[in-house]
Amino acid sequence: YASEILFETAKQFKNLDFIDFGSGFKVPYKAGDIETNIEELGKKLSARFNEFCKEYGKDLTLAFEPGKFLVS
């Protein structure tokens, strides 16, 4: 998962306040297009992010930039 790469990279920085996962949520424009399941992503990523914060030793903020997803 790309999230694991981001978590591993974040460990290199000791004074973080947040991790921004950016965007990339898939929006279907026509039948058969790939769509991001936000609920599933949220459940899996929330659990892993909470684990990461414990490993990191500090509670961080998890940020996203879902602009296109919100307006589509």
Side-chain angles (χ1 to χ4, degrees):
Y1 291 114
S3 60
E4 291 303 321
I5 295 170
L6 189 55
F7 290 139
E8 285 302 313
T9 302
K11 289 178 185 178
Q12 307 298 314
F13 300 91
K14 299 301 178 194
N15 294 314
L16 296 177
D17 293 319
F18 66 92
I19 295 179
D20 188 334
F21 273 74
S23 62
F25 300 112
K26 302 298 180 198
V27 177
Y29 293 104
K30 60 184 183 316
D33 282 355
I34 297 171
E35 179 177 4
T36 299
N37 183 326
I38 296 296
E39 287 186 35
E40 182 181 344
L41 175 66
K43 288 176 186 176
K44 289 181 179 180
L45 194 53
S46 291
R48 180 60 186 104
F49 180 71
N50 289 333
E51 287 176 26
F52 173 78
C53 287
K54 288 178 185 171
E55 295 167 12
Y56 189 73
K58 179 181 177 183
D59 287 337
L60 302 175
T61 298
L62 178 60
F64 294 97
E65 299 174 30
K68 181 176 82 167
F69 182 84
L70 293 175
V71 298
S72 292

